[in-house]
């Protein structure tokens, strides 16, 4: 009987296109303070557009297929963002909510939408849990990032921060999803700029503009990053050496960690670390701000001159 129900829902759902369901999203409340699913879809579109522009201007090469240049990527991401939540209005997802996203991908294919868009709709919830696969294509990657950022920025913006074990909106999972996508796909995206893109997508006055919301969210994702790296077997010292300076781009974090670990095995590591610690302690005791330049005339010892020259 359940299979018969599913077959009936499937046949009924396909009588309406996903695009025809878009206006219906404006009748579905997403959150009392954050509006409807329709408004949310528009915010995700805006964030996706900002992400594509950041990829376009990235300092690291982010290659897309020859047929999939940034303008096309932007167009696909916009279309996928508009349609991604429409399967919430289908009978199939109403009966089987665990199929959200998956059914959207199937219905998109049945309508003849490009496979890249259909895959993006199907994958935009990924990774759904620890160890889950990541989005399979560029469009899905952009859409999944935009969707997670919209959730994080929106809920932090209205003060719905996780506390202790309570995380009713699964914000920790969303943050870990962002971390995995940025690192494992080595994306040339700066995390503060992504958060700013998310904030910019919300209408003025919709978010509680308390001054710490942006910093709270950045601290939250950096804390999740530390925890994720520790779980992967890196020591507290190795992680701190890499994350303490809050690198904006996370794609090269594995290389930084490998470099720190390799440095630690060198015979010079211990004396260099000790010397560095002494310099730090000396500077802490000094009230004077360190000068920006060295006055070579004050160097009297040959060793000082040699060190400065080197």
């Amino acid at each position: 009987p359940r299979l018969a129900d599913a077959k009936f829902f499937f046949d009924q759902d396909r009588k309406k296109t996903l695009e025809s369901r878009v206006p219906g999203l404006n009748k579905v409340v997403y959150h009392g303070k954050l509006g409807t699913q329709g408004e949310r879809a528009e915010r995700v579109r805006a964030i996706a557009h900002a992400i594509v522009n950041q990829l376009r201007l990235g300092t690291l090469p982010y290659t897309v297929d020859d047929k999939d240049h940034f303008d096309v990527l932007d167009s696909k991401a916009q279309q996928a963002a508009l349609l991604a939540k429409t399967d919430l209005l289908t009978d199939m997802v109403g009966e089987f909510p665990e199929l959200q996203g998956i059914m959207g991908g199937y219905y998109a294919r049945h309508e003849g939408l490009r496979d890249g868009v259909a895959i993006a709709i199907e994958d935009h919830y990924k990774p759904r849990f620890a160890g889950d696969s990541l989005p399979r294509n560029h469009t899905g990657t952009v859409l999944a990032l935009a969707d997670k950022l919209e959730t994080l920025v929106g809920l932090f913006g209205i003060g719905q921060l996780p506390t202790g074990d309570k995380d009713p909106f699964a914000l920790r999972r969303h943050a870990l999803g962002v971390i995995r996508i940025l690192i494992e796909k080595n994306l040339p995206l700066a995390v503060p700029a992504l958060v700013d893109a998310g904030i910019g997508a919300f209408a003025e006055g919709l978010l509680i503009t308390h001054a710490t919301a942006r910093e709270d969210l950045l601290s939250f994702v950096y804390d999740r990053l530390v925890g994720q790296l520790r779980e992967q077997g890196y020591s507290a010292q190795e992680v701190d050496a890499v994350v303490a300076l809050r690198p904006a781009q996370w794609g090269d974090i594995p290389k930084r960690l490998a470099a720190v670990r390799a440095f630690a095995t060198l015979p010079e590591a211990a004396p260099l670390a000790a010397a560095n610690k002494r310099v730090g302690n000396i500077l802490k005791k000094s009230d004077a701000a360190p000068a920006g330049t060295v006055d070579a005339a004050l160097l009297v010892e040959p060793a000082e001159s040699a060190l400065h020259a080197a």
Side-chain angles (χ1 to χ4, degrees):
R2 296 288 279 167
L3 286 171
D5 288 346
K7 173 70 164 63
F8 174 75
F9 294 144
F10 185 61
D11 291 337
Q12 289 297 111
D13 285 342
R14 284 184 296 157
K15 292 178 181 178
K16 288 181 68 175
T17 64
L18 294 179
E19 189 169 356
S20 72
R21 297 179 187 273
V22 170
L25 291 174
N26 290 315
K27 299 174 185 175
V28 180
V29 175
Y30 164 53
H31 187 286
K33 293 181 179 178
L34 296 173
T36 65
Q37 287 284 5
E39 291 169 312
R40 185 186 182 203
E42 288 301 324
R43 293 194 293 264
V44 173
R45 286 180 79 185
I47 298 169
H49 178 65
I51 290 172
V52 173
N53 282 339
Q54 288 182 32
L55 288 171
R56 197 195 304 263
L57 300 172
T59 54
L60 298 172
Y62 180 67
T63 55
V64 294
D65 301 335
D66 292 338
K67 299 174 185 176
D68 197 8
H69 55 79
F70 288 110
D71 290 338
V72 175
L73 177 61
D74 190 28
S75 173
K76 286 183 179 179
Q78 295 289 300
Q79 184 182 17
L82 185 68
L83 302 177
K85 303 298 182 187
T86 52
D87 69 352
L88 297 175
L89 302 175
T90 62
D91 293 335
M92 182 74 92
V93 173
E95 183 69 19
F96 305 102
E98 66 275 13
L99 294 180
Q100 57 189 283
I102 295 169
M103 292 314 303
Y106 279 123
Y107 292 143
R109 289 188 190 89
H110 275 280
E111 292 172 24
L113 291 177
R114 290 174 295 190
D115 202 43
V117 172
I119 287 174
I121 292 172
E122 185 176 332
D123 286 1
H124 82 279
Y125 290 105
K126 292 183 177 180
R128 296 170 186 251
F129 49 85
D132 191 18
S133 59
L134 297 183
R136 290 166 285 176
N137 63 13
H138 295 302
T139 310
T141 297
V142 170
L143 183 56
L145 265 181
D147 188 67
K148 289 168 178 55
L149 284 165
E150 193 278 341
T151 301
L152 287 164
V153 168
L155 290 164
F156 266 76
I158 59 171
Q160 293 280 354
L161 284 65
T163 55
D165 294 334
K166 294 182 180 179
D167 187 9
F169 299 102
L171 298 185
R172 292 184 178 94
R173 179 166 56 78
H174 281 85
L176 289 173
V178 171
I179 290 166
R180 282 194 58 202
I181 290 171
L182 291 176
I183 291 180
E184 293 178 33
K185 290 189 175 286
N186 191 17
L187 299 180
L189 295 168
V191 174
L194 289 175
V195 170
D196 289 340
I199 293 170
F202 284 82
E204 190 173 350
L206 189 59
L207 298 183
I208 295 173
T209 54
H210 51 83
T212 62
R214 180 179 183 275
E215 272 308 307
D216 287 346
L217 178 51
L218 284 172
S219 296
F220 179 74
V221 292
Y222 276 100
D223 287 347
R224 300 281 79 70
L225 172 64
V226 169
Q228 176 81 343
L229 296 174
R230 290 293 306 278
E231 284 185 13
Q232 292 175 6
Y234 295 102
S235 71
Q237 291 87 350
E238 289 169 338
V239 173
D240 193 37
V242 171
V243 180
L245 294 178
R246 281 200 166 191
Q249 295 188 355
W250 294 356
D252 63 353
I253 278 180
K255 292 180 181 177
R256 290 171 181 254
L257 285 164
V260 168
R261 187 168 278 184
F263 169 76
T265 65
L266 299 176
E268 304 94 331
L272 280 171
N276 187 63
K277 187 175 181 180
R278 286 190 67 194
V279 170
N281 288 338
I282 292 169
L283 289 175
K284 284 177 188 173
K285 294 175 183 176
S286 172
D287 294 330
T293 56
V294 174
D295 183 354
L298 296 176
L299 303 178
V300 291
E301 296 290 337
E304 292 178 317
S305 301
L307 176 60
H308 180 53

